[in-house]
Amino acid sequence: MFFEIARIAKYHKPKALFLENVKNLVRHDKGKTLQTIIQILTDLDYDVFYKVLNASDFGVPTARQRIYITAFRKDFNVSSFDFPEPKKINVSLKSFLETEEKTKEYIIKRKDVFFKSKHFGKVKDILGKFPNKPVQIGIINKGGQGERIYHPDGHAITFSANGGGVASKTGAYLIDGKIRKLTPRECAGIMGFPEYFKIPVSDAQAYKQFGNTVAIPVVKAIFEKTLND
């Protein structure tokens, strides 16, 4: 896919490029993959900058670490680019949940549920702040992918487009005494989409889309930096 992006950039020569990928791109093939990307963009007359950012640090309750790459055409003489600093906004998953009436069909009824004693209760610190990270409190079955249970006072896990398990795509959460996965609307809010954002597809397609999307507040912060610097 990147080579197709490079082909388009070579032909159209846009003023700037913005790319996003999983954080493992940084060390894939001992860093050679990322260096190849940077070298190709450099050869296309772009100055390239990158940084790994976590959505949890930008006001949305989900752990989503991604590498963000900005590239500016060299005739703009951009010698440096400072990515936005983490805002460290304290926010919990609980604030983004829908009412019980709208979530009944997402409840997971299993007998093979095991809870950890640690973190099972309230997880806020002595100042009443929520942890800006997922807090696992139990497992379903053997605790594989999609079988881990998290506390709603923490953050959601990184959504997956293709994950399996009884709580596939979103992970499981203990909410009001019941274990359930998140709804597509909750996933939308957690990723920073506004309430008026429409989801005109099936749940399966919605989960896949939110598993592949970017965290809106992070992208917005980078764009604001790009326009203002």
Side-chain angles (χ1 to χ4, degrees), residues 73-138:
R73 215 169 59 203
K74 287 187 177 181
D75 56 305
F76 284 89
N77 297 314
V78 179
S79 58
S80 65
F81 179 76
D82 295 323
F83 282 86
E85 291 296 321
K87 298 180 180 179
K88 299 292 184 181
I89 300 172
N90 196 245
V91 61
S92 73
L93 170 65
K94 186 182 293 183
S95 302
F96 291 75
L97 299 177
E98 292 193 284
T99 62
E100 186 175 356
E101 185 64 31
K102 296 181 179 180
T103 60
K104 290 181 179 179
E105 64 180 288
Y106 301 92
I107 293 175
I108 298 170
K109 297 180 180 180
R110 294 283 293 261
K111 293 183 178 180
D112 53 347
V113 173
F114 307 91
F115 288 106
K116 300 179 179 180
S117 58
K118 183 180 180 182
H119 294 321
F120 182 76
K122 294 183 178 180
V123 298
K124 292 185 287 187
D125 65 18
I126 58 174
L127 299 178
K129 294 182 178 180
F130 299 107
N132 278 1
K133 62 182 181 180
V135 179
Q136 185 180 346
I137 58 174

Side-chain angles (χ1 to χ4, degrees), residues 25-36:
L25 179 65
V26 175
R27 60 173 182 267
H28 183 264
D29 195 18
K30 299 181 180 180
K32 294 178 182 178
T33 301
L34 178 59
Q35 289 306 312
T36 297

Side-chain angles (χ1 to χ4, degrees), residues 155-187:
H155 280 194
I157 61 169
T158 301
F159 297 148
S160 170
N162 302 301
V166 67
S168 62
K169 313 296 192 298
T170 76
Y173 303 84
L174 181 64
I175 300 169
D176 296 328
K178 298 180 179 66
I179 300 169
R180 69 171 175 86
K181 65 188 298 182
L182 300 174
T183 71
R185 176 54 61 187
E186 289 171 337
C187 292

